[in-house]
Amino acid sequence: MKNTIIRSALFLFAGMLISCSKTEKTTAVRKNIEDAVFASGYVEKDEEYLISAKISGNIINIPVSEGDQVSKNSLIATIENTIQTEQLKDAEAVYSQSRTNTSGSSPQLLQIRSQMDQAQHQMDQDRINFQRYKELRVKNSVSQLDFEKAQLQYQSSQNSLISLQKNYQDAKNTLELAEKRSAIQVDQQNDVLKDYSIRSPGKGEVLNVYKKSGELVKQGENIVKIGNGNFKLRLYVSEDDIAKIRTGQKVAIRLNTYPNDTFPATIAKILPAFDETEQSYIVEAKFDKLPKAVFSGTQLQANIETAKRKNMLVIPTSYISKGKFVILENSEQRRITTGSKDSEWTEILSGISEKDVLIKPKN
């Protein structure tokens, strides 16, 4: 939507209202015209973000309120976590037991170790016996059959020890794997438990608190809104006007909190994409000088200055009839071509001059 603001006159020419009986008259005058694009919008912080619940549950504590300053990792809310805490305790108990099972005092490993010691002792005896029979067989003091029996016994005790050693290593690997898995389970339970303590990802000011202690919050629901940085103006510009906007253009801002004041600002950024939700393009501006009190979310109206033209011919808008005609002093109805206009003044491109005296139409 286009809005034209017409400011101070460069050349004033006899264009004053003349009261004659009940007929009002005027003539065209020369004024400076400032073309402007209208935009609506609101005030926000440079960085604003919502903190939402990652899990459903009853809120048992919200230690912050609107206006509080928070730092990174500040506690924002706590959700009831009794069941999750018990699950964590169970996981920690399993992990503690698994650590015991992989230690030197593990009953399972101690049992196999004892069997290994016995097998080692038996193999040592069978090796000595085999060596003795081997020497005796060389002297032909024992039969070949007795020698082979001693040899088989020694080989059997060797195989038994190797089997027990393998069993020991397999059992140890299994227990160590169980310990790692239980440690992972503890970490996972801790990560889930963290979701019940909602913290701020960065510093800033609490702008809005949407929930109260004791309320049920669902996963994804917003709990607070945090803002950080300087104030900026978020403006919505129509498709018809966005091509006229440039960074560095001046803006006249009227805040709903200051209905009678206008604040200067400057266009700082033009977002490149069309906003489907707002059905507008979004432009950001910065205050040239901050008002005494600024509040995030304040609604505003803005006029973005797009051009200045000097010494343009204008007449009061109220003297135009049917949008394209004026009535001359001799009662002639003349067609005119208009340019920029607002509720007070309309630019005249052709049809009349400063010498023509106009009569105000009767409503």
Side-chain angles (χ1 to χ4, degrees):
M1 171 180 173
K2 184 173 182 181
N3 180 31
T4 303
I5 302 173
I6 305 179
R7 292 184 174 173
S8 59
L10 253 190
F11 304 100
L12 288 176
F13 189 73
M16 305 183 64
L17 295 177
I18 302 172
S19 176
C20 180
S21 300
K22 294 184 179 179
T23 302
E24 293 182 76
K25 300 179 182 181
T26 191
T27 58
V29 296
R30 296 283 176 176
K31 286 182 176 289
N32 290 342
I33 293 179
E34 178 184 295
D35 291 329
V37 167
F38 175 80
S40 60
Y42 60 90
V43 180
E44 66 177 4
K45 291 277 194 176
D46 280 332
E47 298 177 5
E48 290 190 4
Y49 52 92
L50 295 166
I51 299 179
S52 58
K54 295 182 179 180
I55 201 160
S56 301
N58 290 318
I59 298 175
I60 60 176
N61 179 36
I62 299 182
V64 297
S65 57
E66 287 89 345
D68 287 353
Q69 295 292 327
V70 296
S71 57
K72 185 177 181 179
N73 208 37
S74 293
L75 181 65
I76 300 299
T78 303
I79 298 175
E80 187 177 3
N81 54 21
T82 304
I83 296 176
Q84 188 61 38
T85 300
E86 291 300 321
Q87 291 176 345
L88 175 61
K89 289 180 180 179
D90 291 342
E92 288 174 337
V94 172
Y95 174 60
S96 177
Q97 183 60 48
S98 65
R99 290 190 63 186
T100 300
N101 291 340
T102 57
S103 67
S105 59
S106 167
Q108 184 177 352
L109 295 180
L110 286 175
Q111 182 180 6
I112 300 175
R113 188 69 190 176
S114 176
Q115 293 172 349
M116 287 171 57
D117 290 342
Q118 293 176 4
Q120 181 70 51
H121 179 70
Q122 182 64 48
M123 190 192 72
D124 291 342
Q125 288 183 331
D126 291 340
R127 183 180 66 253
I128 294 171
N129 192 48
F130 168 68
Q131 290 295 336
R132 185 170 65 84
Y133 269 78
K134 185 177 181 180
E135 293 172 359
L136 291 174
R137 180 59 188 155
V138 171
K139 297 176 182 180
N140 205 25
S141 299
V142 293
S143 66
Q144 181 67 24
L145 180 61
D146 290 338
F147 169 72
E148 291 176 354
K149 286 181 179 181
Q151 186 180 35
L152 287 173
Q153 180 62 35
Y154 175 48
Q155 291 174 346
S156 177
S157 61
Q158 281 182 315
N159 291 335
S160 294
L161 180 59
I162 292 172
S163 178
L164 286 170
Q165 289 173 337
K166 184 178 182 302
N167 290 345
Y168 180 86
Q169 191 60 48
D170 288 346
K172 186 177 181 181
N173 291 341
T174 299
L175 292 173
E176 287 177 348
L177 179 60
E179 179 187 5
K180 291 179 180 179
R181 287 177 175 173
S182 61
I184 291 173
Q185 186 65 26
V186 170
D187 291 340
Q188 290 175 341
Q189 294 295 337
N190 272 318
D191 287 340
V192 173
L193 192 60
K194 289 178 183 177
D195 291 341
Y196 289 83
S197 296
I198 301 168
R199 297 183 177 276
S200 172
K203 66 178 182 179
E205 180 183 10
V206 179
L207 302 178
N208 299 101
V209 179
Y210 303 110
K211 294 291 182 179
K212 298 179 180 179
S213 296
E215 281 191 58
L216 174 65
V217 63
K218 296 181 180 179
Q219 185 178 9
E221 283 189 332
N222 297 327
I223 297 177
V224 300
K225 184 178 185 180
I226 304 293
N228 187 40
N230 298 320
F231 286 103
K232 66 181 178 181
L233 308 166
R234 190 175 181 89
L235 309 177
Y236 298 116
V237 178
S238 70
E239 292 179 275
D240 295 338
D241 294 327
I242 189 61
K244 304 170 188 174
I245 307 302
R246 301 285 186 274
T247 56
Q249 288 175 335
K250 293 301 179 180
V251 189
I253 301 294
R254 179 158 289 181
L255 302 173
N256 285 6
T257 50
Y258 293 91
N260 299 320
D261 296 322
T262 300
F263 301 94
T266 304
I267 298 296
K269 184 178 182 181
I270 303 171
L271 275 63
F274 185 76
D275 190 286
E276 295 291 344
T277 302
E278 299 295 337
Q279 288 295 296
S280 299
Y281 285 92
I282 297 176
V283 174
E284 293 181 358
K286 295 285 189 179
F287 282 111
D288 292 347
K289 183 179 180 181
L290 280 176
K292 290 183 179 179
V294 188
F295 304 93
S296 182
T298 299
Q299 300 296 304
L300 62 87
Q301 297 77 44
N303 283 300
I304 305 170
E305 180 184 302
T306 57
K308 285 184 177 180
R309 292 176 289 135
K310 297 181 178 180
N311 198 29
M312 305 308 295
L313 192 66
V314 298
I315 64 171
T317 301
S318 60
Y319 277 72
I320 299 175
S321 173
K322 300 178 183 178
K324 53 186 177 182
F325 293 97
V326 292
I327 301 173
L328 301 183
E329 189 177 26
N330 61 4
S331 299
E332 175 191 349
Q333 183 172 275
R334 184 176 295 180
R335 187 186 186 96
I336 59 173
T337 303
T338 61
S340 302
K341 62 181 178 180
D342 63 13
S343 60
E344 295 183 16
W345 297 95
T346 298
E347 179 187 6
I348 303 301
L349 301 178
S350 65
I352 61 173
S353 70
E354 296 159 281
K355 297 179 180 180
D356 293 312
V357 178
L358 309 179
I359 297 176
K360 188 174 183 180
K362 295 180 180 179
N363 295 330

